[in-house]
Every structure is written in structure tokens, then in C-alpha cells.
Amino acid sequence: DSGVTQTPKHLITATGQRVTLRCSPRSGDLSVYWYQQSLDQGLQFLIQYYNGEERAKGNILERFSAQQFPDLHSELNLSSLELGDSALYFCASSGSVGTVSGNTIYFGEGSWLTVV
Amino acid sequence: AQTVTQSQPEMSVQEAETVTLSCTYDTSESNYYLFWYKQPPSRQMILVIRQEAYKQQNATENRFSVNFQKAAKSFSLKISDSQLGDTAMYFCAFILFEYSGGGADGLTFGKGTHLIIQP
């Protein structure tokens, strides 16, 4: 158990809909990352938050957005869903910037999203 | 931008054998961390081993060890006495070390090596 909690584990929704994925980082971790893993196995970095602030943005679509709340949990919002958005969405967390724990990223079990 | 290359899409070995997975990376930075993650059929991402670039000593975790060659930008994973449970996708990953502030791009992953341990 990595200590990173993601909900829901599985989600099936229709095209055009909106969903929210939730993530609770490991206790004490300040950074939250979101990754997308599609069927071709590639892991794409979407976005990072550090202590409530957006830190870095990767290949995140404009239809997607995220935020990190004061209690450090994070949500990834996916809207106007398309079939191609079907993927495994990982949340990961790490500790304080500039520390060893800050540069080790632990992953949650992922949220399977199927768009039909 | 950093890149990570895993040149072996798939490998298969017999149980109890030793296997080495290759990884090369490209960066102009000098302070970074390298990781190997394991993704079994359950799709969970499990941290296997970590190497700090400033350390010359190769990291070891039980049956897993790395051969870190900084000048060659090479970071291979050796699995000794392989077990059936080692069957998984293995991803090599890179992250820049953050001193303070600034942006971070999270981990850059290779495309993975599918390791199959045969009984």
C-alpha cells in the first residue's frame, strides 16, 4: 500500500459527460501529480500541484482541469468526454521540495475510466 | 527536455535466472533521480528502486540492483533469482532534483519493458 488513495477505482460514463476523480496523497506529502496511462501503455504527465498551487503542467487537455484543496487532496475534472479519454488515471504524491522524499513519487492504484 | 529510452520492449527468462533491463536517458542537468517502477497485471505502479545521481554507489533493494553509469547516461536494472511474481511491465523514470521553488515536470517515463518470468 503506497498510502495514496484514489476514488473511484472504476468509472463508466458516456461521451460528452463530465467526471471527477479524487486523490488523497500520502500523509505529509505536499505534491500531487496526475498521470494518464492509455491502452498503448504510455504514461503521460498531466499536471502537478504543490501545497495548493499549480506547479507544472504537462500534456493536459483544455477539457481537463485539476485543483488541490487546503487539506491537500486533489481532484481531476474531465469534461466533454470522448472515447479517446478512456484510460487509467493515476494520482501520485511526493514530499517537500528539495528533500529526498520530495523527489520520490508514490502512485495510487489508479482510476479506470471507460467512456462509451 | 529529458528523454528516457528503454530499448527492450519484451524479455523472457526462466525462473531463478538473472535478468538485466536496459535504460538510457538524456539530460543536460546534473542533479536528478532515476527510478524503476514495476507495473504488474493489476496495473498498480510500484516503486522498485531509486538512484540519486550524485551518488556513485549503485542502489540495491534485496534482489534488485542497478548499474548506474552517469557519464554514459545509462541506468540498468538487474533482477537476481527471478520469481514468477516479477512478471510485469518495468518502467524506467527520471526526475530533476528540486532545490527550491521553480517548476517541476514530474517523472519522465520510458515506454517500458514487458518482463515475463517462465516457470
Side-chain angles (χ1 to χ4, degrees):
Chain A
D1 183 4
S2 67
V4 180
T5 303
Q6 288 188 247
T7 57
K9 285 188 169 38
H10 297 273
L11 190 58
I12 301 174
T13 190
T15 55
Q17 295 298 305
R18 171 190 170 95
V19 299
T20 297
L21 309 181
R22 193 179 191 278
C23 170
S24 293
R26 294 189 319 154
S27 177
D29 280 359
L30 301 178
S31 275
V32 169
Y33 307 79
W34 288 97
Y35 287 84
Q36 178 192 58
Q37 187 175 35
S38 57
L39 285 176
D40 70 356
Q41 307 281 348
L43 278 148
Q44 295 291 324
F45 168 65
L46 297 179
I47 198 164
Q48 179 201 3
Y49 280 83
Y50 180 79
N51 203 19
E53 300 287 329
E54 182 182 305
R55 191 61 173 265
K57 192 174 274 193
N59 300 317
I60 188 166
L61 300 173
E62 286 191 9
R63 300 183 285 109
F64 297 179
S65 65
Q67 56 183 326
Q68 186 180 28
F69 296 87
D71 66 353
L72 301 177
H73 90 271
S74 178
E75 293 181 355
L76 178 67
N77 300 297
L78 315 174
S79 61
S80 303
L81 285 167
E82 303 174 359
L83 296 178
D85 297 327
S86 295
L88 180 57
Y89 290 86
F90 282 109
C91 172
S93 75
S94 64
S96 299
V97 167
T99 65
V100 172
S101 65
N103 290 286
T104 298
I105 299 180
Y106 294 92
F107 284 77
E109 294 187 358
S111 292
W112 280 99
L113 173 65
T114 302
V115 183
V116 297
Chain B
Q2 285 66 233
T3 60
V4 177
T5 302
Q6 294 179 249
S7 59
Q8 305 151 311
E10 185 169 292
M11 298 184 70
S12 180
V13 299
Q14 296 294 123
E15 194 175 6
E17 289 183 346
T18 294
V19 59
T20 299
L21 281 58
S22 300
C23 173
T24 58
Y25 59 95
D26 189 25
T27 183
S28 58
E29 305 289 338
S30 59
N31 290 310
Y32 50 86
Y33 286 70
L34 293 161
F35 304 90
W36 280 96
Y37 284 90
K38 168 185 177 181
Q39 189 175 41
S42 66
R43 302 296 291 270
Q44 188 176 357
M45 289 290 286
I46 302 166
L47 176 64
V48 174
I49 199 165
R50 178 187 68 211
Q51 175 77 44
E52 296 91 327
Y54 62 87
K55 288 187 177 179
Q56 292 188 337
Q57 186 172 7
N58 290 323
T60 299
E61 289 287 343
N62 301 313
R63 298 183 294 108
F64 299 87
S65 61
V66 299
N67 184 3
F68 173 49
Q69 302 289 328
K70 191 173 184 178
K73 296 181 182 176
S74 171
F75 182 61
S76 61
L77 174 70
K78 186 172 82 171
I79 305 174
S80 303
D81 186 26
S82 57
Q83 300 174 359
L84 296 179
D86 295 333
T87 294
M89 282 290 289
Y90 286 81
F91 291 96
C92 177
F94 170 104
I95 189 170
L96 288 175
F97 182 84
E98 294 189 281
Y99 288 103
S100 63
D105 293 330
L107 287 160
T108 300
F109 284 91
K111 292 192 178 298
T113 296
H114 185 204
L115 176 64
I116 301 168
I117 308 299
Q118 304 277 7

